[in-house]
Every structure is written in structure tokens, then in C-alpha cells.
């Protein structure tokens, strides 16, 4: 009796679409719309429904929140921009759906001793087993497990032949016909 009277007095500040005494209080508060006259802290406390329970002040003081650990995208490089590696096996893999191709990859052993799969960018390559290559970070979106790329034009890996655009990414020299300068 007292609870229903208390609920009715607290509902006086709200416009309720359809409330019946049989409805549990939790469903009432989700269906309420606050009126303009009732604004303030009480409104926010009543209507706040967080999926994750927030820590109380005592819990926060006692446990002190632990920051989330940073997980590197390229753990085998050990915080270095590039690493030297030796090719163990050079092969092709098929990409994930919906793509269809033959991606050239190599299993390489880094100087840190870790063995990873690295993508060979560009058209054509001269890599084989025991080739020494430079490996950088950078995942290939449609090849699962490939989080590294081989730097073209460094160490044993040749640059891409006859590459006209984006040459710096593929270690390609300027083509002789293009060496005269820009077009007029």
C-alpha cells in the first residue's frame, strides 16, 4: 500500500503512457518520459540504466582500477621499425572471401628468433629459401595471420621492375624513358 502510494507520488512528475498496478517498477521507468517541469539530478538517477554496473566509491578506492594492457599490432618486431630476417619458405596463399587471387608470402625467421609470415608486395619477386630480407609491420587485410610485409629494394629483395607510380613503396628506380623529366 505504502509502496504503491510512494510510486504514484513519484510518478506525478512524469507523463506515463499506460501504467497499470500489475506492471513492475522497472518497466515503468523505461516507458516514462520526463516532463519539462521535473529536471535535475533525480531524473538522471531514475532513468540511468547502465548495462555494466559502475563501481562504488569504496570499490574504486579499495581496488584502484587497473589500466588495460597495450597489445602491440606487430609483436615480433620488438618495438623496432624494421627487422632483418631470413626466408624459410616462400609460397602462395589464397585470400579470404570475397577476394580471389594468389598472394605471395614468405615464412621468415627474424633476428629476434621469432618465426612469422610476411607478405611480398608488388608484381614478381626474386625471393627463395635463405634470402635475407628486411621486414616491416603492416597487415594484409584478406590474408589471415599475415601481419608483416617485406621491404622491396632492401637487402636480397629486388625492387619491382618497370614500376612507374608509387616507386618508393616498391624500391623501383626511375624508368629510363621517364628519366628525362616531367611531361610538358
Amino acid at each position: 500500500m505504502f509502496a504503491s502510494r510512494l510510486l504514484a507520488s513519484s510518478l506525478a512528475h512524469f507523463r506515463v503512457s499506460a501504467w497499470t498496478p500489475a506492471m513492475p517498477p522497472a518497466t515503468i521507468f523505461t516507458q516514462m518520459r520526463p516532463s519539462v517541469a521535473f529536471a535535475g539530478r533525480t531524473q538522471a538517477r531514475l532513468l540511468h540504466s547502465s548495462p555494466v554496473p559502475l563501481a562504488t566509491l569504496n570499490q574504486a578506492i579499495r581496488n584502484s582500477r587497473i589500466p588495460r594492457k597495450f597489445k602491440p599490432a606487430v609483436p615480433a618486431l620488438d618495438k623496432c621499425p624494421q627487422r632483418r630476417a631470413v626466408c624459410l619458405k616462400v609460397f602462395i596463399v589464397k585470400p579470404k572471401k570475397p577476394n580471389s587471387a594468389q598472394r605471395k608470402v614468405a615464412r621468415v625467421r627474424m633476428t629476434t628468433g621469432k618465426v612469422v609470415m610476411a607478405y611480398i608486395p608488388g608484381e614478381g619477386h626474386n625471393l627463395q629459401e635463405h634470402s635475407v630480407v628486411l621486414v616491416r609491420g603492416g597487415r594484409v587485410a584478406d590474408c589471415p595471420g599475415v601481419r608483416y610485409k617485406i621491404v622491396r629494394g632492401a637487402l636480397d629483395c629486388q625492387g619491382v621492375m618497370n614500376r612507374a607510380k608509387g616507386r618508393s613503396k616498391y624500391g623501383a628506380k626511375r624508368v629510363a624513358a621517364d628519366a628525362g623529366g616531367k611531361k610538358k
Side-chain angles (χ1 to χ4, degrees):
M1 173 78 180
F2 177 74
S4 62
R5 187 179 297 161
L6 181 69
L7 185 62
S9 66
S10 65
L11 290 176
H13 300 290
F14 292 94
R15 289 192 309 265
V16 181
S17 56
W19 179 74
T20 59
M23 292 173 65
T27 52
I28 297 164
F29 287 118
T30 55
Q31 293 179 358
M32 283 189 227
R33 295 191 190 123
S35 64
V36 180
F38 186 71
R41 283 177 28 155
T42 323
Q43 172 197 359
R45 206 177 317 127
L46 285 173
L47 296 176
H48 182 266
S49 60
S50 175
V52 179
L54 296 172
T56 63
L57 189 62
N58 283 336
Q59 287 170 340
I61 291 167
R62 194 173 67 232
N63 297 336
S64 72
R65 299 185 178 232
I66 300 161
R68 187 175 283 183
K69 296 273 187 191
F70 171 74
K71 186 182 172 187
V74 282
L77 292 180
D78 286 345
K79 299 179 182 176
C80 296
Q82 300 99 13
R83 282 271 185 189
R84 198 176 74 238
V86 178
C87 291
L88 303 177
K89 183 181 176 185
V90 180
F91 55 102
I92 57 171
V93 295
K94 290 183 178 179
K96 291 195 301 187
K97 282 185 176 181
N99 295 342
S100 176
Q102 292 181 331
R103 306 272 186 243
K104 281 71 176 175
V105 295
R107 184 172 284 116
V108 297
R109 178 178 285 118
M110 308 255 189
T111 51
T112 58
K114 296 176 182 173
V115 178
V116 297
M117 292 223 310
Y119 178 69
I120 307 168
E123 294 180 11
H125 66 86
N126 65 323
L127 296 180
Q128 53 192 3
E129 195 178 344
H130 308 302
S131 297
V132 180
V133 293
L134 193 65
V135 176
R136 66 176 174 90
R139 65 186 282 263
V140 181
D142 60 4
C143 293
V146 181
R147 293 195 282 183
Y148 305 88
K149 289 183 180 176
I150 292 172
V151 179
R152 297 295 301 247
L155 303 177
D156 286 351
C157 187
Q158 289 179 346
V160 178
M161 294 288 128
N162 302 323
R163 178 92 192 181
K165 295 181 179 180
R167 295 192 327 275
S168 63
K169 293 180 181 179
Y170 297 93
K173 298 292 180 190
R174 200 164 189 179
V175 182
D178 193 34
K182 292 184 179 178
K183 293 179 182 177
K184 293 181 181 176

